[in-house]
Structure formats: structure tokens, C-alpha cells
Amino acid sequence: MLDETIITRAIIETYTKEFVNNLKSDVIIAGSGPAGLVASKFLADAGLNTIIFERKLSFGGGMLGGGIMFNKIVVQDEAKRILDLYSIKTQEYEPNYHVADAVESVAKLTSGAVDAGVKIFNLISVEDVKIDDNNNVTGVVINWTAVEKAQLHVDPVTFKSKCVIDATGHDVELVKTVLKKIPGAKLNTPYGTIIGELPMHAEIGEKILIETTKEIYPGLYVAGMAANACSGGQRMGPIFGGMLLSGEKVAQMIIKKLK
Ligand code: 48H
């Protein structure tokens, strides 16, 4: 005999317990695209308590759509080792062009994060950052995506962390919030502000992403497409090696700082 109220209680109690347990963490990541997912696994593997807030129902961001909805992705030689780490199958299409299935890639990157101990909260949007007395970023302010979509006037809640990663992709949402809301905020970019992403140039876009991945403002890091969008890096289309390497790099930077 199944009691529906036990099912309901099981879900509500276990969810809220995890929610409360994660009110203070080491690292909060906004966005579960490839950069956020890879960063989270490396951070958790290093023993850092890491959580991801993802606006959508699904994970993987733009990776799931491959190129023009053909759900295949391409990575170059130097990034293939990251796919290998997750046992994601690849086919060498031409020298230095490795093709992988986008669904398998997203599923295994997500599973790798979860197995490493990352807690992923989906259907939640980061709508603001939390700051300390010196205006350093020390957490995020979140709300249900459903509230955001319905434009309801419902106040959000706050989660604290030692570092925050903006892995929100092209829209670079957290950094924009810092610029908009913190008077005189200067970013760690050539002009102290968001430069915006440059047009397509896969070769340069992929390379420069490793340099644009950085602590962009005290307490706030950028990874993935958000990094190139901040510092004026080129876009690169459906080659995803740079996103994986950027996730790895931001994790290494934070591990060095916190460990
Ligand atoms: C919670 C949020 C919020 C928010 C957004 O776009 P993504 O896949 O990001 P990356 O950087 O890991 O990968 C970029 C890649 O997908 C891409 O777009 C490429 C390679 N483009 C090249 C080109 O030329 O166009 O994922 C970002 C994730 C998404 O799942 C969003 O839903 C989520 O972040 N997100 N989550 N709170 N405020 N904003």
C-alpha cells in the first residue's frame, strides 16, 4: 500500500535538508553548461564543497544542442583528455578534430559532477550577488526560475560561499549585476568593464579563453563563454574544448586559493 503523503514528505524533507546544508559552501557556480560542470567536478574532487544553480530544467547548457541542433560536438587534441577522463567516446574525424555525442557528453559530465559530490539545484536562477563590507562577492541571491518567468514579486534568498563562478555563458549575468549594482566596480579586464564577445574566430577564441578565464572581480570568477564575453574574446561556434579547459582552469585557480 503506497501512501502518497509519504512520497510528498520524502521529497520535501530531503530537498529542504540539502538546501539548508548548502547555505554556506566553498564554491557556488551559476550555470551547468560544460564549463560549470567541469569546474564543479575538479573542485569537488579537491575536497571543496561545491554547488551549482541552474536556471533550466536540463543540464549542459549549449552543449546539448551541438551545432544547429545536430547533437554532436567537436573538441581539439588538447581537450580530448578531459572527455577521456569521463569515458566519453570520441571519433577522430580528421587530425585534431574529435567528434563526440552531445547527449553522452552532457550526461557523463553531469554524472561526473554528481559522483564527485557536487550538489546541483536546477530550476533556480541566480538573480543577484551577495557582497561583504568591502564590496567583495561572497555569495549569491537566488529565486525559483518559475517566479522569474512569471515576473512575480516574491523576494529571493541568499547562499554564501568563499568563491562564486559566473558560468552563465554568453549573457555573463553575474558580472553584469556587479557592474550595475556596485558603484565604481572595476573588472579585471583591459578597460575595467565588460568588453563583449568578438565575432567568430574558432582558433583565437579557443586559445584566448584560457587567458580570459580569471577572477574578474574580488570573489567572482568567470569561466566558459562568460569569460570571453567579459574580456573581448572571439566566439568559436560548436567546438567545446575551450569550455572544458576553461572549467578545469578556473577550478585550479580556486583550489590554489582555498586549499
Ligand atoms: C542560473 C543560469 C543563469 C542564472 C544562465 O551557455 P552555457 O553552455 O555556458 P558555457 O560557457 O559552459 O558553454 C558555452 C557553450 O555552450 C556555447 O554557448 C558556445 C561554445 N558558444 C560558441 C558560440 O560561438 O556561440 O551554459 C550556461 C548555463 C545554461 O544552462 C543557463 O541556463 C545557465 O547557465 N544560466 N543559471 N542562474 N542567472 N544564467
Side-chain angles (χ1 to χ4, degrees):
M1 190 64 185
L2 284 172
D3 182 337
E4 293 84 353
T5 65
I6 296 177
I7 299 170
T8 307
R9 177 156 48 82
I11 289 171
I12 293 173
E13 274 189 3
T14 54
Y15 186 92
T16 48
K17 192 170 172 208
E18 276 185 341
F19 217 48
V20 170
N21 284 347
N22 283 290
L23 280 172
K24 288 180 186 173
S25 62
D26 292 317
V27 187
I28 294 174
I29 302 176
S32 72
L37 284 174
V38 169
S40 73
K41 174 187 160 48
F42 281 97
L43 289 163
D45 279 345
L48 294 171
N49 178 224
T50 305
I51 64 176
I52 298 181
F53 290 116
E54 168 53 51
R55 170 177 282 145
K56 294 185 181 153
L57 188 56
S58 59
F59 314 112
M63 186 180 247
L64 208 46
I68 59 160
M69 298 196 291
F70 291 11
N71 59 6
K72 297 282 181 194
I73 58 151
V74 172
V75 303
Q76 57 279 56
D77 285 343
E78 64 258 47
K80 183 179 170 291
R81 70 177 165 79
I82 298 195
L83 295 184
D84 291 343
L85 194 70
Y86 292 84
S87 304
I88 296 167
K89 295 183 281 302
T90 52
Q91 176 200 333
E92 191 171 25
Y93 183 72
E94 280 197 24
N96 198 30
Y97 297 82
H98 306 272
V99 184
D101 183 82
V103 174
E104 179 186 356
S105 300
V106 169
K108 289 185 175 170
L109 292 184
T110 308
S111 154
V114 172
D115 286 348
V118 177
K119 180 61 207 168
I120 307 180
F121 295 104
N122 59 340
L123 296 168
I124 289 180
S125 295
V126 176
E127 65 164 59
D128 204 344
V129 292
K130 186 205 149 22
I131 50 171
D132 66 11
D133 296 348
N134 299 314
N135 286 347
N136 297 336
V137 172
T138 54
V140 300
V141 177
I142 57 131
N143 214 329
W144 306 111
T145 300
V147 165
E148 180 188 66
K149 295 270 180 236
Q151 297 186 309
L152 302 175
H153 188 164
V154 176
D155 268 358
V157 292
T158 304
F159 279 63
K160 284 188 183 174
S161 62
K162 294 175 186 156
C163 295
V164 174
I165 303 175
D166 184 339
T168 63
H170 294 273
D171 292 337
V172 62
E173 294 197 15
L174 275 59
V175 181
K176 280 185 183 156
T177 301
V178 163
L179 276 184
K180 194 168 99 187
K181 293 193 157 183
I182 302 177
K186 284 242 174 319
L187 302 182
N188 176 16
T189 65
Y191 302 108
T193 188
I194 293 177
I195 297 172
E197 86 189 25
L198 270 56
M200 183 76 79
H201 194 312
E203 173 74 19
I204 303 180
E206 286 285 273
K207 285 218 163 76
I208 209 167
L209 185 50
I210 300 308
E211 289 162 42
T212 58
T213 300
K214 57 172 94 154
E215 186 170 12
I216 198 87
Y217 180 83
L220 180 62
Y221 291 73
V222 273
M225 208 56 222
N228 271 10
C230 270
S231 296
Q234 287 77 357
R235 70 185 305 185
M236 68 296 289
I239 181 157
F240 282 82
M243 301 302 137
L244 308 175
L245 296 169
S246 172
E248 178 186 48
K249 180 172 175 201
V250 77
Q252 285 167 346
M253 292 173 78
I254 292 175
I255 292 164
K256 201 169 161 199
K257 182 173 175 179
L258 298 185
K259 293 298 269 189

